[in-house]
Amino acid sequence: MEIYPFNDNVYYVNTDNNGDVNLKFYARKLASGYITKVAISNIMDDITSSLQENALFITQPVIPSNSLEAPIISSINGSEVPPAGTNKNPTFDVIIPKSTVLSMNDLVYVMSDINDETPILCSSDRYGNRNIRDNPFKVPYKIFTPYQYNMLYYYILTIGGDISRSKNLIFTVGGDSTSYLPPKGNFQLPTILNYSNKLVDEFFIFGVNSLGTGITCVIPVGGKNEAGVGDIIDCMLEIISYDSDTGNPSPKITLITSVQVKDTKPIKIPIGSSFLENFGVDDEGNPTPVYIYYIVNKEKYSQNWQGFLDTVSLDSH
């Protein structure tokens, strides 16, 4: 439902007890062009504070530009950003690479696409404010789920109203053993069949006998939030064991197979028992978590089917 301005195009919104406010804006088709920005200011006790942010509305896709390199995360190691650590620093540093196409008056919007949902603004500022002093953008850790794949990029908005998008940086954020979640998206959950071709309920604990010769992953096709004809599907198996010394998770991620969707029949992908054998319980008797999901066209994730493994053969003791 549309809420009309209270007075003089100003909306008044209450905050929570911490003074925070969480809003979503939905843009109509713009009268001219496909880009606009909306100033967001704080008004308290009838006094308007200095400008805090500019909300950017883009109603058409912007293709990444070859002239704008991906953002740089100062602390990244490979593709993983270390967790906040013992000091619990709430942010990590992101640097916009210097470029001859950037002007000091350009506005920078650092963005992240999380779980294939609505892009999230991580931070924004005028390019010159950061570039002159080599100050990084501060991006909050709390935006990201540990061990989940994320995409970081930035928009550049010029004074003339032109918009450009940088190349993408794919990364994960580390965490502790209690915060692990595998990648999770919006595509429909796969179903799992046992070696007898019977449906397996989620959170089932596979033993040596119930595992048998393996399982089958069934991926729905052709419906809402499902892959379509021509799409490429990667079937992924993720098994989470834990380091006995640190307690930190050690995900083992396996690509079972890649297939192209030919028609709208569900796709059945066998996962042999060799992928699932010899995973036992931890010191507290908990079986090993296993997640099965799929990725569509290398970028869009499904929901996760979760089960457990207790498949160490008695003969191995």
Side-chain angles (χ1 to χ4, degrees):
M1 185 179 73
E2 184 174 1
I3 302 174
Y4 293 95
F6 177 79
N7 187 16
D8 297 329
N9 272 341
V10 175
Y11 295 87
Y12 290 87
V13 180
N14 290 328
T15 65
D16 62 18
N17 292 333
N18 296 320
D20 296 327
V21 61
N22 186 8
L23 295 177
K24 284 188 177 181
F25 297 89
Y26 299 90
R28 291 179 171 183
K29 183 177 180 180
L30 301 176
S32 60
Y34 63 98
I35 307 161
T36 191
K37 64 179 181 179
V38 177
I40 301 176
S41 301
N42 291 334
I43 298 177
M44 299 181 68
D45 297 328
D46 295 327
I47 299 175
T48 302
S49 70
S50 60
L51 184 66
Q52 300 298 306
E53 293 284 357
N54 287 314
L56 183 65
F57 287 84
I58 305 173
T59 58
Q60 294 181 15
V62 179
I63 304 301
S65 170
N66 287 329
S67 60
L68 292 176
E69 294 300 322
I72 299 169
I73 300 177
S74 302
S75 59
I76 199 166
N77 182 11
S79 62
E80 180 175 302
V81 178
T86 55
N87 59 354
K88 299 300 181 184
N89 188 344
T91 64
F92 57 86
D93 292 346
V94 173
I95 299 171
I96 303 302
K98 295 183 186 299
S99 171
T100 57
V101 304
L102 295 178
S103 166
M104 293 299 178
N105 291 319
D106 290 343
L107 291 173
V108 180
Y109 296 84
V110 181
M111 310 291 298
S112 183
D113 290 356
I114 299 176
N115 283 342
D116 194 34
E117 295 177 347
T118 304
I120 291 178
L121 175 64
C122 302
S123 182
S124 67
D125 197 0
R126 196 169 299 279
Y127 178 68
N129 294 346
R130 302 283 170 171
N131 178 270
I132 293 174
R133 298 185 296 273
D134 288 326
N135 288 341
F137 286 85
K138 301 292 185 179
V139 173
Y141 275 101
K142 66 180 181 180
I143 293 176
F144 308 100
T145 301
Y147 297 99
Q148 171 182 287
Y149 287 97
N150 301 287
M151 180 188 298
L152 199 70
Y153 56 97
Y154 55 92
Y155 288 116
I156 299 295
L157 180 64
T158 68
I159 293 179
D162 295 323
I163 191 81
S164 300
R165 173 176 169 159
S166 75
K167 298 176 182 177
N168 301 321
L169 173 67
I170 306 299
F171 69 101
T172 62
V173 173
D176 56 37
S177 60
T178 61
S179 60
Y180 182 82
L181 283 175
K184 182 180 179 183
N186 296 328
F187 274 59
Q188 294 291 347
L189 185 77
T191 54
I192 303 300
L193 306 178
N194 67 10
Y195 70 97
S196 298
N197 214 36
K198 294 182 180 179
L199 186 68
V200 180
D201 291 334
E202 199 173 7
F203 307 115
F204 180 78
I205 301 176
F206 287 101
V208 174
N209 294 333
S210 57
L211 177 61
T213 56
I215 60 178
T216 301
C217 174
V218 182
I219 298 174
V221 172
K224 183 179 179 181
N225 292 330
E226 296 176 358
V229 174
D231 287 340
I232 302 295
I233 292 178
D234 295 335
C235 180
M236 310 299 296
L237 176 71
E238 191 160 342
I239 298 175
I240 316 303
S241 57
Y242 291 89
D243 186 286
S244 58
D245 295 325
T246 65
N248 291 331
S250 177
K252 179 184 179 182
I253 304 173
T254 303
L255 170 63
I256 299 300
T257 189
S258 295
V259 296
Q260 185 172 32
V261 181
K262 301 296 185 182
D263 52 44
T264 56
K265 296 179 181 178
I267 293 176
K268 294 185 176 182
I269 298 175
I271 302 175
S273 59
S274 61
F275 290 102
L276 305 167
E277 291 173 336
N278 298 316
F279 291 95
V281 299
D282 61 19
D283 293 340
E284 298 179 357
N286 300 308
T288 302
V290 57
Y291 297 89
I292 301 172
Y293 57 93
Y294 56 94
I295 308 172
V296 180
N297 297 329
K298 306 294 183 182
E299 60 180 0
K300 297 180 179 179
Y301 286 78
S302 75
Q303 298 177 50
N304 300 298
W305 187 94
Q306 182 181 357
F308 297 93
L309 302 174
D310 183 8
T311 56
V312 176
S313 171
L314 294 177
D315 296 337
S316 63
H317 291 290

